[in-house]
Amino acid sequence: MSSQQKSAPDTAASAAAAEPRPRRLTYAAALAALEGAALAAGGLWVLVRGLTGAPDDRQQAVTLGITLLVLALLPLLAARGLLLRRSWSRGPAVITQVMALPVAYNLLQADSMAIPAGIALAVVAVAALVLLVNGETTRALGIKGPGRAE
């Protein structure tokens, strides 16, 4: 590679870093972090209840708690990447929102106090998706569409 080819990405990255982070990107990162924190809190709650309470199946409760804690890493890492303007972070953030929509739908089908949680989750997931696919966010992350590679 020539020195011109090597310096071109550095120049584009430094130009993007010099601009202030768009609010939409910050809001998307905050929503992803909120979902990750909620998953982590839910996982901790299930894990503690499984270990200290009298669940029907202790092993299942502990497994669910650990699974939720591990799943919380995806939106938390995506949120950190969005704040640092890493282009890879949009993929995990979008996947998290797409995974949240069926969960919200199932919560909305319940005849209980889960309905408000389903509404909140659906609103957060749709809002985050809109923010993540926004053109301003895409440009701030340095993502180019198909056929736009330099």
Side-chain angles (χ1 to χ4, degrees):
M1 285 186 140
S2 70
S3 61
Q4 286 179 330
Q5 290 174 337
K6 288 182 183 179
S7 65
D10 293 335
T11 306
S14 63
E19 297 174 12
R21 182 175 45 242
R23 280 188 289 168
R24 291 181 176 131
L25 183 58
T26 304
Y27 295 154
L31 291 175
L34 176 68
E35 287 175 332
L39 275 170
L44 273 172
W45 182 74
V46 170
L47 186 61
V48 169
R49 296 272 305 189
L51 292 173
T52 61
D56 293 337
D57 187 358
R58 185 176 307 272
Q59 183 179 2
Q60 186 176 9
V62 169
T63 302
L64 176 62
I66 291 171
T67 301
L68 288 174
L69 287 171
V70 171
L71 283 174
L73 292 175
L74 183 65
L76 291 173
L77 289 172
R80 183 175 186 275
L82 289 171
L83 285 175
L84 296 174
R85 298 171 110 180
R86 305 289 191 249
S87 61
W88 61 262
S89 61
R90 190 174 81 159
V94 168
I95 289 169
T96 300
Q97 306 320 314
V98 171
M99 288 172 39
L101 290 173
V103 174
Y105 178 77
N106 284 333
L107 290 172
L108 290 170
Q109 299 304 308
D111 290 330
S112 67
M113 292 301 293
I115 293 174
I119 292 169
L121 181 58
V123 167
V124 168
V126 169
L129 277 172
V130 168
L131 291 169
L132 287 166
V133 298
N134 184 277
E136 187 178 339
T137 301
T138 303
R139 282 187 298 279
L141 293 173
I143 299 171
K144 294 181 174 61
R148 295 188 178 140
E150 292 180 9

